[in-house]
Amino acid sequence: MHTQASVQSVADTARGIVLATVEIAARPEHVFRALTEPDQVVRWWGSDEAYRITNWQMEIGVGGRWRSEGRNADGTSFCARGELLRVDRPTALSMSWMSDWDGGQTSVVHYALEGTTRTTRLTLCHEELVDRPDACRAYAEGWRLVLGWLQQYLAPQSTEASFLLRLNPPRPNFSGDMSSEEAALMKLHFGYWATLLKAGTAIAYGPVADPGGTWGVAIVRAAEMDAAWALTDQDPVVGSGRGVRYEIFAMPQLMRGE
């Protein structure tokens, strides 16, 4: 068994199974996002000493395809791919797994997420590795690293930090051709952020006139990334079914004038 800051990973070579667990200081929904959203996966999955994921694609839904590409520390490239077998957001995710470093052998990875409003216990089971003891042990070590990176990425900050929130519209010309229902929804959205600005939670917010299509931005102060995601969860546009999506970026240093 291997440990890395409460990460546990064990290879059962007789059964061809890897079991790994980790406690993460974030809500299950936010852990699920970090595991599936391309803009998040490429930020946390990897290290300069081992390897880094450089591209991640995933079609959320049973039968959806996923694919990852990356680069090893020695500069060589790799890829892995498969199909989603189960999607129960945000408590379970299963996928077939084929990687070029494993000779294209097919196995199956299951994620199970159990948690509260503040923490998540993530259990991973990588199975169908029977009669492949070396691969089983290698995957156990690999998942120990991966879950450690995920835990660190979602770890709460010790002090209040700044975050940049980008609001991506459902289509490039959204600001110019939105329907009356969408306009009413955006009015609620701006009202929500006006309240956060008045409370001091938001430092600034507003639309960005990008020639490729207008998008929204906000800069907020929050104790941790999880708290920043919680702010987006309460935005009226989130969960509206209109295809609006947030991205969040930590700002290690925010310079402000008086």
Side-chain angles (χ1 to χ4, degrees):
M1 181 176 291
H2 312 280
T3 61
Q4 176 180 312
S6 78
V7 179
Q8 298 182 337
S9 180
V10 61
D12 184 340
T13 57
R15 299 169 58 202
I17 293 175
V18 173
L19 290 174
T21 61
V22 63
E23 298 286 342
I24 299 175
R27 295 159 54 185
E29 173 63 27
H30 297 161
V31 177
F32 191 94
R33 286 174 175 172
L35 288 168
T36 57
E37 294 185 354
D39 58 299
Q40 293 204 58
V41 173
V42 296
R43 293 207 296 271
W44 67 263
W45 198 315
S47 71
D48 293 336
E49 296 75 21
Y51 67 89
R52 285 193 178 279
I53 297 295
T54 57
N55 183 52
W56 180 269
Q57 302 169 27
M58 179 172 280
E59 302 168 1
I60 297 296
V62 174
R65 299 288 181 175
W66 72 271
R67 179 183 174 87
S68 71
E69 299 172 352
R71 190 164 296 278
N72 293 306
D74 63 5
T76 58
S77 59
F78 64 84
C79 72
R81 63 195 184 282
E83 179 179 318
L84 297 189
L85 307 175
R86 178 185 178 187
V87 180
D88 291 328
R89 188 184 190 115
T91 60
L93 182 70
S94 298
M95 65 190 76
S96 60
W97 183 284
M98 292 175 287
S99 59
D100 56 10
W101 68 84
D102 194 22
Q105 295 277 358
T106 300
S107 53
V108 176
V109 174
H110 306 278
Y111 294 105
L113 293 79
E114 300 177 273
T116 66
T117 58
R118 299 291 298 172
T119 62
T120 299
R121 180 177 180 81
L122 172 60
T123 301
L124 178 144
C125 176
H126 192 160
E127 60 181 4
E128 299 189 15
L129 300 169
V130 178
D131 298 327
R132 301 171 59 210
D134 291 341
C136 194
R137 284 188 286 266
Y139 275 121
E141 177 63 18
W143 286 118
R144 178 187 69 84
L145 292 173
V146 171
L147 296 188
W149 294 327
L150 176 63
Q151 181 190 54
Q152 184 177 16
Y153 171 70
L154 292 172
Q157 304 297 313
S158 58
T159 58
E160 191 175 64
S162 300
F163 297 90
L164 185 147
L165 282 56
R166 172 171 173 152
L167 182 65
N168 297 299
R171 53 188 182 275
N173 196 37
F174 178 72
S175 63
D177 66 2
M178 68 178 71
S179 66
S180 57
E181 292 82 3
E182 289 171 330
L185 188 64
M186 292 305 295
K187 184 176 181 180
L188 295 175
H189 159 76
F190 281 109
Y192 171 72
W193 281 101
T195 300
L196 292 182
L197 186 67
K198 185 176 181 180
T201 303
I203 297 172
Y205 75 96
V208 176
D210 187 333
T214 300
W215 45 275
V217 68
I219 298 177
V220 303
R221 297 285 290 176
E224 57 193 42
M225 183 168 286
D226 193 47
W229 276 115
L231 293 175
T232 68
D233 289 342
Q234 299 172 53
D235 189 328
V237 300
V238 174
S240 64
R242 300 288 180 174
V244 178
R245 182 175 62 86
Y246 271 101
E247 293 178 72
I248 297 183
F249 304 90
M251 299 181 67
Q253 292 182 325
L254 179 64
M255 309 303 179
R256 299 179 62 183
E258 295 298 331

